[in-house]
Amino acid sequence: MWRLASDIGGTFTDLVYFNESTGDLGIAKSLTTPRELTQGVIDTIGLSQIDPGEVGFFVHGGTTVINVITERKGAKTALITTAGFRDVLEIARGNRPDLYNLRFEKEPPIVRRRYRFEVRERVDARGRELERLHLEDLDPIIAQCRSENIEAIAIQFLHSYAAPEHEAACAAVLRERLPQVAVTASHEITREWREYERANTAVLNAYVQPIVQQYFGRLQSALADIGIRCPFSAMQSNGGTASFEWAKEHPITLIESGPAAGVNGGVLVGRLCHEPNVIYLDIGGTTAKCSTIEEGQPKVTTEYKLEHDRNRFGYPVRVPVVDIVEIGAGGGSIAWFDAAGLLRVGPVSAGADPGPACYALGGEEPTVTDAKLITGVLNPDYFAAGRLRLDLERAGKAMRKVADRLAISVLEAAVAVIRLVDASMIEALKLVSIQRGHDPRDFALVVGGGGGPMHAGALGRELGVKSIIVPLYPGLFSAWGMLVTEPRRDFTQTSLCRAESIGISDIRDLFSRLREEAQVALRADRRPADNQLAFEYRIDLRYLGQEHSVTVPVNIERATVEGILRDFHDAHERVYTFRLPETPVEFVTFRLTAIEQVPRPRLGRISAQGRSAQAARKGRRIVEFAEEGSHEAVVLERELLPPDFTASGPLIIEEPSSTTLVHPGQQLRVDDLGFLHITEV
Amino acid sequence: MEMEDTSAMPETAPETATRRRVGQRPVDTVTLEIIRGKLLALADEMGIVLARTAMSPVIYEVLDFACGFCDPEGQLVAQTNGITVFTGTFALHVDVLRRKYAGQIRPGDIYMSNNPYEGGTHLNDVAIIKPIFVNDEILGFAISIAHWTDVGGKMAGSLPADATEIYQEGIRFIGVRLYKEGERQDDMFETIAANVRLPKMSLGDLNAELASVRIADRRMQELCAKYGSTTVREAFRHIIETSEKLSRAAVAALPDGVYEATDWIDGDGISNERFPVKVQVRIEGDEMTFDFSESCPQLMGPVNCSAGGLCSAVKTVFKALVDPRAPSNEGYFKPMKVVAPAGTVFTAVPPAPVGWYYEGTGQASELAWKALAPLVPGRFSAGSANSLCVTVLAGHDPAAGETFVLVEPNMVGWGATDMRDGASVVSAITNGDTFNYSLELLEAKFPLRVVGYGLNVEGGVGAGRNRGGFGVVREYEMLAPNTLLSASFGRSIERPWGLDGGGPGSCNYFEVLSNGKRWRGARKPITTLQPGDRVKEVTGGGGGCGDPLTRPAPQVFEDVRDGYITARQARAQYGVVIRPGGTLNEAATRKLRRGLMERARVAAGL
């Protein structure tokens, strides 16, 4: 039986396939087909030459949802709000993150004012009805939606997180009377308070829904046409999968599906290597993304913002998203000088076209990849499996712009570029580790993306991680990660309660209600037997008076209120330097994660046959290391390295999709799965 | 930057304290840039810790705070994205401590200050300052400033709009020690608890500020362990020097000359008079002087700001001029000088009330902005409805059995630029990355009901080729008996100015419906409200930019379709004709616009 994971990226559509019985793993790559994205998926399945009838699992991810929003190509969307509040979407939060820009430009709302309608109804913060829902107000709205050819409608009433009845009733009427229109009620997507954030989330869900529905519909029939009959799963942003049917109703939960898959891959690598704590880093052409996995669990938050940076607030999306920090630094990042004459690297990237100067495809700006070539890390004749010959001369010519301006050599300029890009990656890595209260010494750094293994040695050393792991196929890590995902749903219940007035039985009751809800929802998808469902329990707590809380995991069988409080005080001090033992503690939100445990693929061990240290050895190359200076490194072919191989840095390990750099003073070990482990001597 | 008090030192300004150091750099610039990035991350982390552990909604929801790090001389090195008018005061706070405790600052000390006349803004803004020592030497100072919900005084919230002296506004701490060589000064904490109405909340916020400066210390120690304190100090110098260079180049690129702007402060809380304010901006080479000497004397009501507030207010606009995007630091302000005698509305002296100081600083910022906008249109917009429009609602919440204080800044409409329409509903210039209250959170925390929250379409905006942004209407109904209202809205008479032929925006005001009577105000003495009474807060729209008759007719038509303007306004302000059926009449529009332009030419005597 085959498991298939399909990932659509900007340039390539990747397929990773895995045979559950033999442990065979293979990859297929095909150009992404923007006009009809499903074609690229079908192409890769054709390339894999596996028998469609033998496919037992298919999971799909990619950038479809985020691209629709980024390119503003969503459906014609309307919003219905509580009377008096239709402008909340446009008012947003009123903040000006670009402090000193007196020409501040605010993000325009996704729904224009003319398509924002109001209905009389009102409940208060405790969910009590203050004004009945005037369904008759919908008549003129429906008429207008018809005449304006509205394709999607979001509904957002005040305090619907506490009392969703009015929204639900309104949605039912719209679905009945406008059957062609996609309808999203905010409480169906999120049950958290803050009206603007919830409205924006509902609006974005509605905005992408018609497109995602059609897309998944076409993919379903294309897959059926070639004879794949298994249930189809979509990769969600929370690191789990959901059925296509569920995803069609909640498409906004797919917003970071690709990166979430990568983090999930990090979880699996950690598990295979017995490293429950992982810092995951993916370096692509334009960006680097990182995330932490603690005790085998990726961190999931609902604080995600789309198009957000230091100067822009962006659009909040309150769905569970794996906590990823993304920065504009990758292989294609361009080195440049700012107005003060200071050297900067990124966020502008040469991308794949024209690409770095050394691609000789017309790029003339110095990039990180050029710097890696100049310093001897990259092999000009073995890039992308030798399909693209890198031009050292062009790289040098581009880098000379940096060198001349700083009055240093081209080699020194290349080192400066690498140091700068490494520094910004270190900041991102620290943000997800140290700044969130983790000690990197307890973590393994798992790297993916074409560029990850090249930078990992320096980054891991500076961060002080216990080891660095380079898994198989680092260049296809997202698709690989999807292979091992499990159906997952998150359920939350906000229920404010002081610690002194809650007993452990109240906590158990609350969680068992959430558990029932989860069982019903997941059964509707796939009918798992109850013993296949695993539950995780977490509680958000805070000191009375605080708004933000700290999440504490709970072992529901053995938990006591005192134990939970002890964990909370400890966690608060770890993250925020202090505890307030005298201050009352408040229970805020109860979080249940339901995971349907499906059989995990077991990777095959690499065999020693045909592999040996001698066979792998390709030669020697001088490498200019940013911190350690110039060293001659042994060059090895990864696919010929035998299990249990060990060697001391400096080393270069080449493979078709990536290059791994082991620094002087570091030790390499190859495990029996073919993963590379790098540790400090 | 210097602040020159012309009353104290009339003619000869002292030699600029810091001259640029030219010489060998022992450390390469790449390392220095890496450290710069780490310092920014440190400042951001201070802010995150403060927001996530604070207990006042005005801190965790509105983000009324700022954090940063200064070098041993008190020069700002890195700051959070916070409130602009706070970050400009960091240097002054440190300066006060250095003078007061010369030779006595020790590792483990933590100081607290909220003195408006010496570096502070108003009493609610409490600065916590921790000197950071590495190898027994001061490396710099970590600072957090946050708005405490209450610091005593005559009314809960400590912001009586009719205060006439600072004693009515709360308790003043003049650089006191909370920790002395690591030892907690319990008597100070007791004094605080005994003088504020919400001790648990205020001490909670104090804890959050302490956590944020401690995090800074921890990170700074790590940084020095890795790079050595000499290199870190070198990075401070590098940051300040490179910014100063940029800043001087930006000023030098402007034509030398004298530029002026005048404006009015609309009422002070005691009187409804208009008070004249004026700035003269002098550009000479790579230096710029902002002279406020001809502004009115300090006022009886609390809209005055102190000299520190004034400096900070001017810094905001100066930074917007020289380099709006880059993170701020003291280097940018070296070419800038502020001149004003003590005792003006912008340089208030004790015991003048300053509770609503942001009305003063907002005016000062906007004066500088107004003087420079015609000179550098690419950096500025037309006038905005520039007032924080703060409302304080305070009382006793019968359901919770506790005192409540809602301190809420409102967002306003901003002016248009030569490139696009003004932004609707964003924080005034004094603030920055501050948020409005979520309505749902507000109704859950305070005995209030929100009746409506929408764009102030009725009040309108300045017309123009690009129009101003809209203000907002926010209306509350009281649920608790005897709720006190204190509010002070500026820009209630003088409309936001238009630019380059654009029309003026609209004014700020509030409306109270109490006991069946409706009245309108802008700065009012404290009013007591009862359940069912309503308060409607209305903020104005920004000024327009460019002649409205040149705004493309389809754009005007779209504004009508979206309900931003009426068909009548389209005709009267823009000369755009819309048929009764709701379609654009292009022929009639062309004809009408020709006639209006002709009439304008005649009126102008051309």
Side-chain angles (χ1 to χ4, degrees), chain A residues 38-225:
Chain A
T38 57
Q39 190 55 49
V41 177
I42 302 300
D43 289 348
T44 52
I45 297 173
L47 285 172
S48 73
Q49 296 187 325
I50 52 182
D51 175 2
E54 287 293 297
V55 175
F57 173 82
F58 177 88
V59 58
H60 184 57
T63 49
T64 318
V65 169
I66 201 160
N67 286 351
V68 167
I69 300 172
T70 307
E71 295 166 16
R72 299 293 187 272
K73 286 184 177 161
K76 194 168 177 186
T77 305
L79 170 67
I80 299 176
T81 71
T82 306
F85 300 95
R86 70 165 173 157
D87 286 332
V88 161
L89 192 75
E90 181 163 352
I91 292 167
R93 301 304 305 271
N95 55 323
R96 275 190 302 117
D98 200 1
L99 301 180
Y100 298 100
N101 177 4
L102 302 188
R103 298 157 68 83
F104 178 71
E105 198 183 339
K106 191 168 167 175
E107 291 84 357
I110 299 292
V111 178
R112 302 191 67 134
R113 195 159 192 263
R114 72 186 67 156
Y115 301 134
R116 302 198 301 256
F117 305 107
E118 295 183 347
V119 167
R120 285 170 294 157
E121 69 82 39
R122 190 71 152 88
V123 297
D124 71 7
R126 292 200 213 155
R128 292 175 304 205
E129 184 177 84
L130 300 174
E131 182 169 14
R132 73 172 179 90
L133 171 64
H134 291 257
L135 280 173
E136 67 275 20
D137 290 0
L138 284 175
D139 294 339
I141 297 171
I142 288 169
Q144 209 171 337
C145 288
R146 282 207 183 100
S147 68
E148 293 277 356
N149 299 315
I150 292 292
E151 298 165 311
I153 302 176
I155 308 163
Q156 204 268 3
F157 293 156
L158 287 181
H159 301 296
S160 65
Y161 61 90
E165 292 79 12
H166 285 187
E167 273 189 8
C170 181
V173 170
L174 292 171
R175 283 176 181 137
E176 192 196 319
R177 293 179 56 189
L178 295 169
Q180 306 303 320
V181 172
V183 175
T184 301
S186 77
H187 75 273
E188 296 166 345
I189 309 296
T190 164
R191 298 286 290 268
E192 293 186 28
W193 70 3
R194 288 196 175 84
E195 65 286 350
Y196 166 66
E197 285 78 355
R198 207 169 62 254
N200 202 56
T201 305
V203 159
L204 284 170
N205 193 70
Y207 185 67
V208 297
Q209 196 177 2
I211 290 135
V212 171
Q213 277 176 341
Q214 284 167 25
Y215 170 66
F216 275 118
R218 285 199 308 276
L219 186 57
Q220 267 168 319
S221 44
L223 291 169
D225 286 349

Side-chain angles (χ1 to χ4, degrees), chain A residues 585-604:
Chain A
V585 175
E586 205 171 24
F587 284 68
V588 184
T589 301
F590 296 79
R591 300 179 182 277
L592 176 82
T593 298
I595 293 175
E596 187 190 330
Q597 293 184 312
V598 293
R600 291 263 175 186
R602 271 223 301 260
L603 283 181

Side-chain angles (χ1 to χ4, degrees), chain B residues 413-450:
Chain B
W414 276 60
T417 68
D418 54 353
M419 300 295 285
R420 60 181 68 84
D421 292 344
S424 297
V425 204
V426 284
S427 65
I429 186 161
T430 322
N431 272 12
D433 200 10
T434 37
F435 288 58
N436 56 13
Y437 275 102
S438 148
L439 307 175
E440 289 176 341
L441 181 139
L442 189 141
E443 287 192 344
K445 302 248 172 191
F446 301 97
L448 297 167
R449 179 152 304 133
V450 187

Side-chain angles (χ1 to χ4, degrees), chain B residues 136-466:
Chain B
D136 291 331
E137 248 192 297
I138 292 190
L139 180 81
F141 296 86
I143 307 184
S144 285
I145 302 180
H147 181 118
W148 288 15
T149 298
D150 186 273
V151 287
K154 87 172 198 181
M155 178 198 166
S158 317
L159 291 171
D162 55 358
T164 51
E165 50 183 8
I166 195 161
Y167 311 108
Q168 295 160 341
E169 299 176 332
I171 184 168
R172 205 160 14 137
F173 297 102
I174 309 209
V176 298
R177 269 181 288 216
L178 289 178
Y179 285 81
K180 214 168 162 178
E181 299 189 52
E183 198 181 312
R184 190 176 191 265
Q185 305 298 294
D186 293 335
D187 49 349
M188 276 317 306
F189 286 82
E190 282 162 19
T191 305
I192 296 166
N195 279 280
V196 302
R197 288 183 181 82
L198 298 161
K200 276 187 220 147
M201 190 184 266
S202 294
L203 291 175
D205 293 339
L206 175 56
N207 266 317
E209 292 188 76
L210 289 169
S212 102
V213 295
R214 284 186 177 129
I215 281 279
D217 191 0
R218 200 187 277 179
R219 297 289 172 254
M220 210 48 101
Q221 300 299 340
E222 289 165 6
L223 196 61
C224 289
K226 180 162 170 62
Y227 294 96
S229 59
T230 316
T231 308
V232 172
R233 282 174 210 276
E234 183 60 31
F236 294 170
R237 255 195 300 278
H238 166 75
I239 288 168
I240 290 169
E241 280 182 16
T242 50
S243 304
E244 179 182 354
K245 206 165 109 188
L246 267 176
S247 181
R248 287 194 185 277
V251 176
L254 300 176
D256 282 10
V258 177
Y259 307 89
E260 293 184 337
T262 56
D263 207 338
W264 300 92
I265 292 180
D266 300 336
D268 67 347
I270 303 299
S271 140
N272 289 329
E273 261 178 80
R274 303 201 306 163
F275 304 98
V277 288
K278 183 174 174 182
V279 71
Q280 188 182 68
V281 182
R282 297 189 287 271
I283 304 178
E284 291 164 289
D286 62 1
E287 304 217 326
M288 199 182 270
T289 304
F290 296 81
D291 186 340
F292 291 88
S293 302
E294 289 180 51
S295 295
C296 63
Q298 66 187 37
L299 301 171
M300 194 180 279
V303 301
N304 303 296
C305 69
S306 60
L310 172 64
C311 273
S312 200
V314 177
K315 281 178 177 178
T316 305
V317 175
F318 189 76
K319 179 71 176 37
L321 173 75
V322 297
D323 191 358
R325 267 289 163 87
S328 187
N329 66 67
E330 212 65 39
Y332 285 107
F333 308 113
K334 301 258 173 172
M336 173 190 130
K337 199 157 98 174
V338 177
V339 176
T344 72
V345 65
F346 297 132
T347 50
V349 294
V354 292
W356 300 71
Y357 78 96
Y358 31 77
E359 293 298 312
T361 57
Q363 285 282 352
S365 293
E366 211 190 340
L367 267 176
W369 162 5
K370 191 175 177 184
L372 293 167
L375 184 67
V376 202
R379 285 279 202 243
F380 295 101
S381 63
S384 71
N386 210 347
S387 161
L388 267 191
C389 298
V390 172
T391 315
V392 182
L393 288 164
H396 185 79
D397 182 350
E402 286 170 356
T403 299
F404 74 91
V405 179
L406 169 69
V407 182
E408 180 176 49
N410 270 290
M411 310 297 181
V412 299
W414 276 60
T417 68
D418 54 353
M419 300 295 285
R420 60 181 68 84
D421 292 344
S424 297
V425 204
V426 284
S427 65
I429 186 161
T430 322
N431 272 12
D433 200 10
T434 37
F435 288 58
N436 56 13
Y437 275 102
S438 148
L439 307 175
E440 289 176 341
L441 181 139
L442 189 141
E443 287 192 344
K445 302 248 172 191
F446 301 97
L448 297 167
R449 179 152 304 133
V450 187
V451 181
Y453 189 36
L455 297 177
N456 178 15
V457 170
E458 209 174 294
V461 298
R465 179 166 42 75
N466 296 321

